[in-house]
Amino acid sequence: MGVVTVVLEKMSHLKDTDGAMNHPDPYVTFHLEEDNIILDKNLGKQQSSTKKCTCNPTYNETFTFNNVDSLKNVVLMVRVFDEDFGRDDAMGKLRIKLDEEALTPGEFKNFNQKLEKSGKGMFSRDARIELKIKYDQ
Ligand SMILES: [Ca+2]
Ligand SMILES: [Ca+2]
């Protein structure tokens, strides 16, 4: 039974959606799925804590997804939001195809990547996310 471990380290240069005097309150959701042609398989969804009033949050939080039999077609969807009263602002996303990342079993691979624009949400082109991922069979 395989396990995917994701460590969210930090993000930087997020968009200041609550104004320059009142920075955003970012959190991240991780959604692991097997992206098949016919029927996608949901492998779990997890959410980080919310960091208050910062464009450069540090987390160092670990998330595990169990029962991942193989990485074939497995995709990690990363979405970043600003917690607000009412509807949260989308601040970016990242899609990582784990079967194309040549992960070495038992070893973390580091990712330091630019976020992509997410829907109609606020977005900074300089926004980055740092995380590491490993897969154990
Ligand atoms: Ca906001
Ligand atoms: Ca907010």
Side-chain angles (χ1 to χ4, degrees):
M1 292 288 116
V3 179
V4 171
T5 306
V6 178
V7 178
L8 172 61
E9 295 177 322
K10 58 188 169 182
M11 296 189 286
S12 54
H13 307 295
L14 295 175
K15 183 81 179 180
D16 226 340
T17 82
D18 292 349
M21 299 299 286
N22 191 13
H23 302 308
D25 313 293
Y27 67 91
V28 182
T29 65
F30 296 100
H31 189 186
L32 196 70
E33 70 172 24
E34 200 178 287
D35 190 10
N36 298 316
I37 292 170
I38 303 292
L39 204 58
D40 293 347
K41 184 178 172 189
N42 182 4
L43 296 170
K45 187 174 177 184
Q46 302 203 41
Q47 183 172 327
S48 77
S49 66
T50 300
K51 299 298 178 186
K52 292 288 183 187
C53 200
T54 173
C55 293
N56 302 284
T58 298
Y59 296 88
N60 293 318
E61 293 176 18
T62 302
F63 307 91
T64 54
F65 297 86
N66 298 310
N67 301 322
V68 183
D69 294 336
S70 103
L71 292 184
K72 189 170 188 310
N73 296 341
V74 170
V75 172
L76 180 68
M77 280 299 311
V78 181
R79 293 187 182 88
V80 183
F81 297 93
D82 165 29
E83 188 176 280
D84 282 330
F85 297 107
R87 193 173 167 170
D88 295 349
D89 292 318
M91 290 198 293
K93 65 178 180 182
L94 182 65
R95 190 172 191 271
I96 302 175
K97 293 181 175 181
L98 293 185
D99 61 348
E100 294 178 3
E101 290 296 337
L103 296 175
T104 305
E107 274 182 36
F108 278 107
K109 179 169 182 178
N110 291 302
F111 293 82
N112 178 346
Q113 289 182 234
K114 282 196 168 184
L115 291 168
E116 297 156 19
K117 187 168 166 51
S118 181
K120 293 179 188 165
M122 308 287 273
F123 181 66
S124 160
R125 253 178 259 192
D126 297 323
R128 298 191 80 90
I129 186 167
E130 293 181 39
L131 46 85
K132 55 187 182 182
I133 302 172
K134 84 173 168 167
Y135 179 59
D136 294 290
Q137 259 170 331

